[in-house]
Amino acid sequence: MTISRKDSQTLSGTAARTGATVLGGTLTKEGDHYFINKTDVTALLESLVGEQVVFIAADVREKSATPETKTCLTCGRDYTEAACPHCANVRARLRGGR
């Protein structure tokens, strides 16, 4: 699964604030060891054997040139913005904003 750079920064920031070990960079393999930048991930995982862990790995890419199309759960229209513009206009009009 690929996630956006912004989402990865949000996720890693939250993890770091809670005290989790956060690594970011290019994953490489040298022999039997995996590295993220120059950190030996294999050694890190071996140090956690027997512990309860959550391991999250995702391919991080820049946002795609074509925006993701979503379907509004209220009106059923498709949109690409953060929120459905039709429903946002209706809410604003009902609240006397427009």
Side-chain angles (χ1 to χ4, degrees):
M1 176 182 168
T2 301
I3 63 173
S4 71
R5 188 168 304 281
K6 180 181 175 188
D7 288 342
S8 74
Q9 290 170 341
T10 301
L11 181 61
S12 62
T14 301
R17 282 190 297 278
T18 61
T21 300
V22 177
L23 298 174
T26 303
L27 179 67
T28 58
K29 183 177 182 183
E30 295 176 19
D32 291 337
H33 291 266
Y34 289 90
F35 293 85
I36 294 180
N37 293 338
K38 295 185 188 275
T39 303
D40 187 350
V41 179
T42 308
L44 173 64
L45 292 174
E46 286 176 355
S47 72
L48 296 170
V49 169
E51 300 291 333
Q52 291 282 330
V53 299
V54 174
F55 181 79
I56 300 171
D59 183 11
V60 178
R61 305 247 172 117
E62 294 297 329
K63 227 176 188 178
S64 65
T66 56
E68 178 185 356
T69 301
K70 300 169 236 165
T71 302
C72 180
L73 298 176
T74 304
C75 70
R77 288 180 170 84
D78 290 337
Y79 63 97
T80 57
E81 296 85 3
C84 175
H86 171 76
C87 291
N89 287 337
V90 170
R91 279 191 302 275
R93 193 172 63 244
L94 291 173
R95 292 181 181 152
R98 290 187 186 191

